[in-house]
PDB file of all heavy atoms in Angstrom:
ATOM      1  N   LEU A 439     -36.275 -25.277  -3.596  1.00 90.00           N
ATOM      2  CA  LEU A 439     -35.369 -26.262  -4.141  1.00 90.00           C
ATOM      3  C   LEU A 439     -34.718 -27.116  -3.053  1.00 90.00           C
ATOM      4  O   LEU A 439     -34.514 -28.307  -3.172  1.00 90.00           O
ATOM      5  CB  LEU A 439     -34.280 -25.562  -4.974  1.00 90.00           C
ATOM      6  CG  LEU A 439     -34.797 -24.904  -6.265  1.00 90.00           C
ATOM      7  CD1 LEU A 439     -33.660 -24.157  -6.968  1.00 90.00           C
ATOM      8  CD2 LEU A 439     -35.413 -25.934  -7.200  1.00 90.00           C
ATOM      9  N   LEU A 443     -34.778 -31.183  -2.605  1.00 89.00           N
ATOM     10  CA  LEU A 443     -33.604 -32.010  -2.422  1.00 89.00           C
ATOM     11  C   LEU A 443     -33.687 -32.843  -1.189  1.00 89.00           C
ATOM     12  O   LEU A 443     -33.388 -34.053  -1.208  1.00 89.00           O
ATOM     13  CB  LEU A 443     -32.295 -31.136  -2.352  1.00 89.00           C
ATOM     14  CG  LEU A 443     -31.822 -30.550  -3.646  1.00 89.00           C
ATOM     15  CD1 LEU A 443     -30.680 -29.577  -3.406  1.00 89.00           C
ATOM     16  CD2 LEU A 443     -31.349 -31.657  -4.552  1.00 89.00           C
ATOM     17  N   GLN A 446     -36.169 -35.668  -1.780  1.00 86.00           N
ATOM     18  CA  GLN A 446     -35.596 -36.698  -2.675  1.00 86.00           C
ATOM     19  C   GLN A 446     -34.637 -37.588  -1.891  1.00 86.00           C
ATOM     20  O   GLN A 446     -34.611 -38.789  -2.043  1.00 86.00           O
ATOM     21  CB  GLN A 446     -34.794 -36.062  -3.783  1.00 86.00           C
ATOM     22  CG  GLN A 446     -35.615 -35.504  -4.892  1.00 86.00           C
ATOM     23  CD  GLN A 446     -34.763 -34.717  -5.920  1.00 86.00           C
ATOM     24  OE1 GLN A 446     -33.552 -34.916  -5.936  1.00 86.00           O
ATOM     25  NE2 GLN A 446     -35.385 -33.835  -6.674  1.00 86.00           N
ATOM     26  N   VAL A 453     -33.240 -37.168  -8.419  1.00 84.00           N
ATOM     27  CA  VAL A 453     -33.587 -36.879  -9.771  1.00 84.00           C
ATOM     28  C   VAL A 453     -32.427 -36.168 -10.453  1.00 84.00           C
ATOM     29  O   VAL A 453     -32.183 -35.029 -10.223  1.00 84.00           O
ATOM     30  CB  VAL A 453     -34.873 -36.022  -9.883  1.00 84.00           C
ATOM     31  CG1 VAL A 453     -35.339 -35.907 -11.274  1.00 84.00           C
ATOM     32  CG2 VAL A 453     -35.941 -36.587  -8.992  1.00 84.00           C
ATOM     33  N   ALA A 483     -28.551 -36.011  -4.341  1.00 92.00           N
ATOM     34  CA  ALA A 483     -29.168 -34.864  -5.028  1.00 92.00           C
ATOM     35  C   ALA A 483     -29.216 -35.069  -6.495  1.00 92.00           C
ATOM     36  O   ALA A 483     -29.588 -34.185  -7.259  1.00 92.00           O
ATOM     37  CB  ALA A 483     -28.335 -33.580  -4.699  1.00 92.00           C
ATOM     38  N   PRO A 501     -27.995 -32.486 -10.828  1.00 91.00           N
ATOM     39  CA  PRO A 501     -29.379 -32.463 -10.426  1.00 91.00           C
ATOM     40  C   PRO A 501     -30.264 -31.938 -11.522  1.00 91.00           C
ATOM     41  O   PRO A 501     -29.895 -30.973 -12.232  1.00 91.00           O
ATOM     42  CB  PRO A 501     -29.345 -31.458  -9.235  1.00 91.00           C
ATOM     43  CG  PRO A 501     -27.946 -31.497  -8.733  1.00 91.00           C
ATOM     44  CD  PRO A 501     -27.115 -31.750  -9.946  1.00 91.00           C
ATOM     45  N   ALA A 502     -31.429 -32.573 -11.657  1.00 88.00           N
ATOM     46  CA  ALA A 502     -32.323 -32.210 -12.787  1.00 88.00           C
ATOM     47  C   ALA A 502     -32.692 -30.706 -12.769  1.00 88.00           C
ATOM     48  O   ALA A 502     -32.724 -30.072 -13.843  1.00 88.00           O
ATOM     49  CB  ALA A 502     -33.559 -33.081 -12.705  1.00 88.00           C
ATOM     50  N   PHE A 503     -32.912 -30.172 -11.603  1.00 86.00           N
ATOM     51  CA  PHE A 503     -33.384 -28.776 -11.600  1.00 86.00           C
ATOM     52  C   PHE A 503     -32.243 -27.812 -11.985  1.00 86.00           C
ATOM     53  O   PHE A 503     -32.446 -26.598 -12.201  1.00 86.00           O
ATOM     54  CB  PHE A 503     -33.960 -28.381 -10.244  1.00 86.00           C
ATOM     55  CG  PHE A 503     -32.958 -28.327  -9.127  1.00 86.00           C
ATOM     56  CD1 PHE A 503     -32.254 -27.120  -8.905  1.00 86.00           C
ATOM     57  CD2 PHE A 503     -32.737 -29.373  -8.280  1.00 86.00           C
ATOM     58  CE1 PHE A 503     -31.330 -27.034  -7.875  1.00 86.00           C
ATOM     59  CE2 PHE A 503     -31.797 -29.264  -7.263  1.00 86.00           C
ATOM     60  CZ  PHE A 503     -31.097 -28.130  -7.049  1.00 86.00           C
ATOM     61  N   LEU A 504     -31.018 -28.346 -12.116  1.00 88.00           N
ATOM     62  CA  LEU A 504     -29.878 -27.523 -12.534  1.00 88.00           C
ATOM     63  C   LEU A 504     -29.462 -27.841 -13.966  1.00 88.00           C
ATOM     64  O   LEU A 504     -28.373 -27.509 -14.377  1.00 88.00           O
ATOM     65  CB  LEU A 504     -28.721 -27.692 -11.581  1.00 88.00           C
ATOM     66  CG  LEU A 504     -28.905 -27.034 -10.231  1.00 88.00           C
ATOM     67  CD1 LEU A 504     -27.935 -27.602  -9.173  1.00 88.00           C
ATOM     68  CD2 LEU A 504     -28.646 -25.552 -10.350  1.00 88.00           C
ATOM     69  N   SER A 505     -30.331 -28.569 -14.685  1.00 84.00           N
ATOM     70  CA  SER A 505     -29.906 -29.077 -16.001  1.00 84.00           C
ATOM     71  C   SER A 505     -29.559 -27.958 -16.980  1.00 84.00           C
ATOM     72  O   SER A 505     -28.816 -28.170 -17.909  1.00 84.00           O
ATOM     73  CB  SER A 505     -31.039 -29.956 -16.608  1.00 84.00           C
ATOM     74  OG  SER A 505     -32.179 -29.189 -16.750  1.00 84.00           O
ATOM     75  N   HIS A 506     -30.018 -26.733 -16.705  1.00 83.00           N
ATOM     76  CA  HIS A 506     -29.655 -25.596 -17.590  1.00 83.00           C
ATOM     77  C   HIS A 506     -28.287 -25.074 -17.298  1.00 83.00           C
ATOM     78  O   HIS A 506     -27.755 -24.209 -18.035  1.00 83.00           O
ATOM     79  CB  HIS A 506     -30.719 -24.518 -17.498  1.00 83.00           C
ATOM     80  CG  HIS A 506     -30.805 -23.975 -16.099  1.00 83.00           C
ATOM     81  ND1 HIS A 506     -31.459 -24.687 -15.073  1.00 83.00           N
ATOM     82  CD2 HIS A 506     -30.334 -22.886 -15.510  1.00 83.00           C
ATOM     83  CE1 HIS A 506     -31.368 -24.025 -13.947  1.00 83.00           C
ATOM     84  NE2 HIS A 506     -30.689 -22.911 -14.185  1.00 83.00           N
ATOM     85  N   LEU A 540     -26.334 -26.081  -3.571  1.00 91.00           N
ATOM     86  CA  LEU A 540     -26.981 -26.468  -4.853  1.00 91.00           C
ATOM     87  C   LEU A 540     -28.280 -25.669  -5.079  1.00 91.00           C
ATOM     88  O   LEU A 540     -28.536 -25.152  -6.179  1.00 91.00           O
ATOM     89  CB  LEU A 540     -27.303 -27.964  -4.899  1.00 91.00           C
ATOM     90  CG  LEU A 540     -26.116 -28.922  -5.019  1.00 91.00           C
ATOM     91  CD1 LEU A 540     -26.520 -30.352  -4.814  1.00 91.00           C
ATOM     92  CD2 LEU A 540     -25.404 -28.736  -6.355  1.00 91.00           C
ATOM     93  N   ALA A 541     -29.064 -25.545  -3.996  1.00 91.00           N
ATOM     94  CA  ALA A 541     -30.310 -24.799  -4.115  1.00 91.00           C
ATOM     95  C   ALA A 541     -30.077 -23.332  -4.468  1.00 91.00           C
ATOM     96  O   ALA A 541     -30.747 -22.766  -5.319  1.00 91.00           O
ATOM     97  CB  ALA A 541     -31.097 -24.888  -2.807  1.00 91.00           C
ATOM     98  N   GLY A 544     -29.324 -23.016  -8.099  1.00 87.00           N
ATOM     99  CA  GLY A 544     -30.424 -23.256  -9.009  1.00 87.00           C
ATOM    100  C   GLY A 544     -31.538 -22.193  -8.909  1.00 87.00           C
ATOM    101  O   GLY A 544     -32.362 -22.111  -9.773  1.00 87.00           O
ATOM    102  N   ALA A 545     -31.527 -21.458  -7.821  1.00 87.00           N
ATOM    103  CA  ALA A 545     -32.663 -20.545  -7.588  1.00 87.00           C
ATOM    104  C   ALA A 545     -32.618 -19.338  -8.518  1.00 87.00           C
ATOM    105  O   ALA A 545     -31.541 -18.895  -8.921  1.00 87.00           O
ATOM    106  CB  ALA A 545     -32.644 -20.067  -6.122  1.00 87.00           C
TER     107      ALA A 545
END
Side-chain angles (χ1 to χ4, degrees):
L439 294 176
L443 284 173
Q446 283 173 20
V453 188
F503 71 86
L504 285 163
S505 60
H506 59 285
L540 288 172

